[in-house]
Amino acid sequence: IEIALKRFKDFLHDTPEYNKFEKKIMPEQITKDMVEAYTEYLQTRSFGEGAKSIYARFKKVVRYAIEHDIMVKNPCTGIIIKADDQILRKEVLSLEEIQQLITTHYERENSNVRRAFIFCLYCGLRFCDVKDLTFANVDFANNLLKFEQNKTKGHSANSGVIIPLNDGLLK
């Protein structure tokens, strides 16, 4: 919610039409046009789920204000931010960058941490997931790694992960 408040303050400051409200704004001064401009502003400052998530927090505050008679009318009604939930944009290291990381050594490096890091490079696993792996997670007969993501464990039915392993990763 603090992020949503900060972005709204930034929006008021950066938008000539609304910067007169930068120091003080009354709830009834938040209009539908202002919220539409705010959502457009969010989409220029963050992408995908970021803008959608911040706007969802903003709407939560507005709903709270309405429920507690601070605001009479919901200026967010009918205004949505669409994020393409099917597209997951992540930066991917090039083969040269991966090779450079693999060949980099440092004084007193831990060989187990190094192997885990290289494993993560090839599989895309988070450290919190790889540190909990045991041999029980490996299906050697089918060359698969099976585990439940720590990030979503207990919160999502989709927390299970199956990763095919090549000979190098199995080793």
Side-chain angles (χ1 to χ4, degrees):
I1 290 177
E2 288 177 15
I3 291 169
L5 174 63
K6 180 179 179 348
R7 286 285 161 77
F8 189 67
K9 285 179 177 180
D10 292 346
F11 159 73
L12 293 175
H13 173 79
D14 295 345
T15 309
E17 183 180 349
Y18 299 114
N19 63 12
K20 62 186 171 197
F21 299 115
E22 182 182 0
K23 299 280 187 234
K24 182 178 180 181
I25 187 166
M26 300 301 290
E28 61 272 7
Q29 294 173 311
I30 301 174
T31 65
K32 190 172 189 93
D33 288 341
M34 181 186 285
V35 173
E36 284 177 349
Y38 175 54
T39 59
E40 290 170 15
Y41 177 82
L42 285 175
Q43 290 175 306
T44 63
R45 291 276 315 262
S46 25
F47 300 97
E49 203 57 37
K52 186 177 177 182
S53 174
I54 291 169
Y55 181 56
R57 294 175 190 145
F58 178 81
K59 289 192 302 185
K60 191 178 205 177
V61 172
V62 169
R63 277 193 307 275
Y64 180 88
I66 291 167
E67 289 169 7
H68 290 84
D69 299 322
I70 297 166
M71 293 180 86
V72 178
K73 191 172 157 187
N74 188 341
C76 301
T77 302
I79 301 171
I80 59 170
I81 290 182
K82 293 182 181 175
D84 190 345
D85 297 330
Q86 300 302 311
I87 297 175
L88 180 61
R89 293 183 186 101
K90 288 192 173 190
E91 291 294 319
V92 177
L93 295 172
S94 69
L95 290 175
E96 293 81 24
E97 291 169 323
I98 290 172
Q99 210 47 23
Q100 185 176 1
L101 285 169
I102 290 171
T103 58
T104 301
H105 293 275
Y106 63 94
E107 202 176 310
R108 297 189 313 254
E109 71 182 31
N110 181 315
S111 63
N112 286 330
V113 171
R114 177 180 174 70
R115 285 186 16 244
F117 174 73
I118 293 170
F119 188 78
C120 289
L121 279 175
Y122 284 109
C123 294
L125 293 180
R126 297 178 188 92
F127 174 73
C128 64
D129 290 326
V130 82
K131 73 180 179 63
D132 293 337
L133 293 178
T134 67
F135 286 109
N137 295 106
V138 181
D139 176 353
F140 289 97
N142 296 306
N143 293 355
L144 297 173
L145 176 66
K146 299 176 181 181
F147 67 97
E148 206 172 341
Q149 293 181 80
N150 281 316
K151 182 178 178 181
T152 56
K153 191 186 303 182
H155 304 291
S156 171
N158 299 324
S159 64
V161 176
I162 299 174
I163 297 176
L165 299 174
N166 62 30
D167 292 336
L169 291 173
L170 276 170
K171 196 166 123 185

